[in-house]
Amino acid sequence: SLKSDENAQNASDMSLNKRTKSIYTPLELQFIEMKKHYKDAILCVECGYKYRFFGEDAEIAAKQLNIYCHQDHNFMTASIPSHRLFVHVRRLVAKGYKVGVIKQMETAALKAAGGNKSSLFSRKLTALYTKSTLIGEDILFKEIWLQTLIFGLDDSIDVEVTGDVPDNYLLCICENGENLKDRKKGDVFIGIMAVQPTTGEVIFDSFWDCASRLELECRVSRLQPVEIILPSSLSDQSEKLINSITSM
């Protein structure tokens, strides 16, 4: 009886979806599941010889990359050729977006030879790029290699070369007021760690700072980080300083 009730409910849900035209394709369901884990990133999903954007990601990509966006089933979608992936990733990251690359974990040939040739390609996130983690030379070499492989050595190959920030630090800040008296005065003990992915350089420091946060301001100004990771709770003085720096 319980099973029949569940089947009836499923049938009801399916008919509701049909009326609202919200039945998702297997690829759309796969995207929805991946997007749950990476809500703050624009996802590029590998589909054969192109990468596709879905939903709001597609609308953002269309606007920032000047590419065509259209309705396909339940989502807006846009696409780019596989060999142009890293050029477009660089453009989106330069605009301040976090970009995730979702790749197919099996080839069409292996899938055709296996017993699951009619099933959906398995996909997973293989890279997540931000301003501090986009290593320019690595991206550039991949782009040149891919275009050379596809088009051969040709002077007309369009490879974008943009100047990379020499010190693209990712900075993490934490703080701790040792006692109530210090916190009331605004004094706090601060720890920082800065990492530069391009060279592997790591800088760390800890220090007492007064309410004006002069010590913190000095270090942040010196490092000029492109990204800052902050704790869930931050003192008002530190938050004010960080907001002031990042707004500039």
Side-chain angles (χ1 to χ4, degrees), residues 84-152:
R84 297 286 292 173
L85 170 66
F86 295 108
V87 167
H88 293 305
V89 166
R90 290 174 67 91
R91 287 175 176 170
L92 289 171
V93 170
K95 296 286 186 178
Y97 295 99
K98 181 186 294 185
V99 182
V101 177
I102 307 289
K103 288 197 173 183
Q104 295 175 179
M105 294 294 102
E106 46 192 345
T107 64
L110 289 176
K111 195 170 182 63
N116 63 339
K117 56 184 177 181
S118 60
S119 64
L120 185 67
F121 280 93
S122 62
R123 295 178 173 87
K124 73 175 184 179
L125 184 86
T126 59
L128 193 61
Y129 295 110
T130 61
K131 279 191 175 182
S132 66
T133 59
L134 182 67
I135 301 175
E137 292 183 357
D138 177 53
I139 297 298
L140 177 62
F141 290 154
K142 285 181 180 178
E143 174 68 15
I144 293 174
W145 179 82
L146 282 169
Q147 293 208 23
T148 303
L149 181 66
I150 295 171
F151 300 111

Side-chain angles (χ1 to χ4, degrees), residues 71-84:
Q71 184 79 30
D72 184 21
H73 295 286
N74 297 286
F75 286 102
M76 296 297 290
T77 186
S79 62
I80 55 175
S82 293
H83 69 276
R84 297 286 292 173

Side-chain angles (χ1 to χ4, degrees), residues 151-179:
F151 300 111
L153 294 174
D154 189 341
D155 293 337
S156 64
I157 291 178
D158 175 24
V159 178
E160 289 192 3
V161 181
T162 58
D164 292 310
V165 180
D167 296 325
N168 54 330
Y169 286 105
L170 171 62
L171 177 65
C172 179
I173 299 174
C174 62
E175 62 180 21
N176 180 35
E178 290 295 312
N179 54 58

Side-chain angles (χ1 to χ4, degrees), residues 170-176 188-195 203-207 209 213 215-221 223 225 227-235 237-239 241-243 245-246:
L170 171 62
L171 177 65
C172 179
I173 299 174
C174 62
E175 62 180 21
N176 180 35
V188 72
F189 191 71
I190 298 177
I192 65 169
M193 176 171 284
V195 179
I203 297 173
F204 56 92
D205 193 8
S206 59
F207 49 90
D209 208 350
R213 298 294 185 268
E215 294 294 331
L216 178 60
E217 181 179 11
C218 178
R219 286 160 175 79
V220 174
S221 299
L223 292 169
E227 279 189 89
I228 302 177
I229 298 176
L230 301 174
S232 57
S233 61
L234 198 65
S235 64
Q237 295 90 338
S238 297
E239 186 173 358
L241 172 65
I242 297 299
N243 286 337
I245 293 173
T246 54

